[in-house]
């Protein structure tokens, strides 16, 4: 009996050892800023996801309304199997929408609201080459939209498996939103080494980009082949980062989805004007008094101020003279935009300022005028099935991430083929700055001689 039990123990131990070896082979332990991490498998063989990696210290307490600080080290191996909290933002609720107007709750958020916290500076990585330091795969860093007041890096329409299958590492990030991400105030400026305040959300994005540059080789990525891409406020963020003096040489390509062309919603407000708004909201509080405010108190003060405004006012990036000295369009016209590869476009039924039009072509022509490479311009025209909202603002996201099967809409196999095609173009661009590739219809950059706007729609 004892021999049988000993044999059983040995068998169990051997199985556990074999499992440990298998897990180690599948999920290598990586060393990144702060400590060691281990990812988890995805549904795609060979692709791992690392969820909720901190890329900066929690911006709480004394670090509220300060530039992101270095990651706080941890002990042992962090199992990166849970997404980090989203930034503080309002609940999303289902409500009736007029005919022809998209219900964004139903579209993207019907599973409920995420955990939210001031402690929100986390990113996620999908990779097919974890631990392969010399793989040198291109890296794509996604910045979510949401009017600088909502959204997070792991919404259900975002996923990196389709990118990993095509040899691209996808990174999605969170950043501070609303008042926590974009408020200015004289007391906050006074204590800052650069004598500025606001743009904390952009500084978070910059910190995430720097984290990627420092750590992405651990995941098989090439820190010298990074594409920033985003949609809506995420696209506006890409515009800001493209024009920022702090990002020179730090990324090589940019994709701007529904962010506008040469003329768009670029920051125009000065630091002084933004500080005045901060005083109107919070009064002449000191920096210590501002940080002592609870979230409820902050939101109440903001709500009172909003009631006095004529219309809704967006908390967004400003021209602070440090992170941003000029807008994307202005930098383009002056020939000061750094040399990078650009792809940009909008949707058929987009918000008016973001619709694909001559402004997109004008951006490319302006680039050529200053001796830079022309841009690739696209137009997403697929009217999504299930209602009469058409190709609305954000509708291309299901296709760009290959997640259309997660949507409630009655998509067809033709939609699947369109998604595959768009993913091929997007990832080809991420590899080389040229979206063209085998089996794809030619797509020429926009010039006077070839003013192509590449149209995406299902096959009729």
């Amino acid at each position: 009996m004892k021999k049988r039990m000993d044999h059983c123990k040995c068998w169990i131990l051997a199985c556990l050892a074999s499992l440990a070896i298998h897990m180690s082979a599948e999920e290598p332990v990586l060393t990144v800023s702060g400590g060691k991490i281990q990812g988890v498998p995805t549904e795609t063989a060979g692709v791992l996801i690392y969820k909720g990696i901190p890329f900066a210290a929690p911006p709480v307490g004394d670090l509220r309304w300060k530039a992101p600080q270095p990651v706080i080290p941890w002990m042992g191996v962090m199992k990166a199997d849970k997404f980090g909290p989203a930034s503080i933002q309002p609940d999303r609720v289902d409500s009736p929408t007029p005919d022809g107007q998209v219900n964004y709750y139903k579209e993207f958020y019907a599973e409920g609201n995420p955990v939210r916290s001031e402690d929100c500076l986390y990113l996620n990585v999908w990779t097919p080459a974890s631990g392969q330091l010399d793989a040198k795969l291109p890296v794509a860093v996604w910045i979510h939209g949401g009017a600088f007041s909502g959204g997070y890096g792991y919404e259900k329409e975002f996923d990196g498996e389709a990118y990993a299958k095509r040899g691209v590492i996808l990174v999605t990030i969170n950043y501070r939103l609303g008042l926590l991400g974009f408020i200015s105030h004289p007391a906050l400026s006074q204590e800052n080494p650069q004598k500025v305040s606001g743009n904390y959300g952009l500084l978070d994005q910059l910190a995430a980009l720097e984290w990627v540059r420092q750590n992405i080789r651990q995941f098989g990525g090439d820190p010298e082949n990074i594409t920033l891409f985003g949609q809506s406020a995420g696209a506006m963020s890409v515009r800001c980062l493209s024009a920022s003096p702090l990002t020179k040489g730090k990324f090589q390509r940019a994709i701007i989805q529904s962010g506008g062309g040469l003329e768009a919603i670029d920051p125009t407000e000065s630091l002084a004007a933004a500080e005045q708004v901060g005083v109107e909201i919070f009064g002449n509080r000191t920096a210590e008094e501002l940080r002592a405010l609870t979230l409820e108190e902050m939101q109440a003060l903001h709500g009172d101020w909003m009631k006095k405004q004529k219309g809704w006012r967006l908390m967004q990036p400003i021209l602070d003279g440090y992170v941003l000295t000029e807008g994307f369009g202005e930098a383009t016209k002056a020939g000061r935009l750094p040399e990078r590869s650009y792809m940009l476009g909008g949707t058929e039924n987009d918000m008016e300022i973001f619709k694909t039009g001559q402004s997109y072509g004008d951006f490319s022509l302006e680039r050529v005028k200053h001796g830079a490479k022309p841009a690739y311009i696209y137009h997403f025209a697929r009217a999504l099935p299930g209602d009469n909202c058409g190709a609305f603002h954000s509708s291309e996201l299901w296709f760009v991430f290959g997640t259309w099967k997660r949507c409630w809409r009655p998509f067809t196999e033709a939609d699947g083929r369109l998604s595959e095609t768009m993913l091929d173009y997007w990832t080809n661009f991420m590899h080389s700055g040229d979206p063209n590739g085998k089996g794809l219809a030619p797509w020429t950059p926009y010039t006077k001689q070839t003013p192509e706007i590449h149209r995406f729609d299902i096959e009729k």
Side-chain angles (χ1 to χ4, degrees), residues 165-345:
K165 288 177 184 177
R166 291 164 170 81
V168 174
I169 294 171
L170 179 70
V171 181
T172 68
I173 69 174
N174 294 345
Y175 54 97
R176 282 174 282 183
L177 302 169
L179 288 173
L180 293 169
F182 297 97
I183 193 67
S184 295
H185 192 280
L188 299 175
S189 297
Q190 186 59 38
E191 69 172 8
N192 183 277
Q194 285 76 35
K195 301 303 178 187
V196 299
S197 59
N199 284 343
Y200 301 107
L202 288 184
L203 287 167
D204 295 341
Q205 295 167 10
L206 282 162
L209 175 60
E210 193 57 42
W211 187 97
V212 169
R213 286 176 53 77
Q214 292 176 5
N215 295 282
I216 206 63
R217 285 188 68 240
Q218 287 283 319
F219 301 85
D222 182 357
E224 301 304 320
N225 190 359
I226 296 175
T227 299
L228 285 190
F229 72 136
Q231 184 266 347
S232 194
M236 294 162 70
S237 296
V238 174
R239 293 172 69 95
C240 289
L241 296 181
S242 295
S244 173
L246 304 183
T247 61
K248 190 174 181 180
K250 294 189 175 182
F251 64 99
Q252 290 66 46
R253 322 191 200 292
I255 301 176
I256 299 169
Q257 299 176 207
S258 294
L262 188 63
E263 306 295 338
I265 308 176
D266 287 333
T268 57
E269 190 170 51
S270 69
L271 174 62
E275 286 177 335
Q276 180 57 38
V277 170
V279 171
E280 290 174 10
I281 296 173
F282 292 132
N284 291 312
R285 286 176 169 83
T286 66
E288 291 75 17
E289 289 170 335
L290 288 171
R291 293 194 175 92
L293 290 170
T294 66
L295 292 173
E296 291 75 18
E297 289 170 335
M298 287 168 46
Q299 290 162 352
L301 289 167
H302 184 230
D304 290 342
W305 178 80
M306 285 290 289
K307 290 174 185 176
K308 301 173 186 176
Q309 306 309 304
K310 295 179 181 178
W312 185 61
R313 186 187 188 281
L314 191 68
M315 290 291 163
Q316 61 183 325
I318 62 167
L319 297 177
D320 63 355
Y322 172 60
V323 179
L324 281 178
T325 56
E326 61 185 340
F328 181 85
E330 183 182 352
T332 302
K333 292 174 186 176
R336 288 190 288 265
L337 203 62
E339 181 53 40
R340 297 185 179 104
S341 301
Y342 287 94
M343 177 196 296
L344 59 166

Side-chain angles (χ1 to χ4, degrees), residues 47-80:
V47 175
L48 298 183
I49 181 173
Y50 295 77
K51 302 177 180 179
I53 306 173
F55 64 84
V60 301
D62 289 342
L63 296 185
R64 179 195 277 179
W65 291 313
K66 286 188 177 177
Q69 299 299 303
V71 170
I72 298 173
W74 59 87
M75 300 295 290
V77 178
M78 176 191 294
K79 191 72 170 178

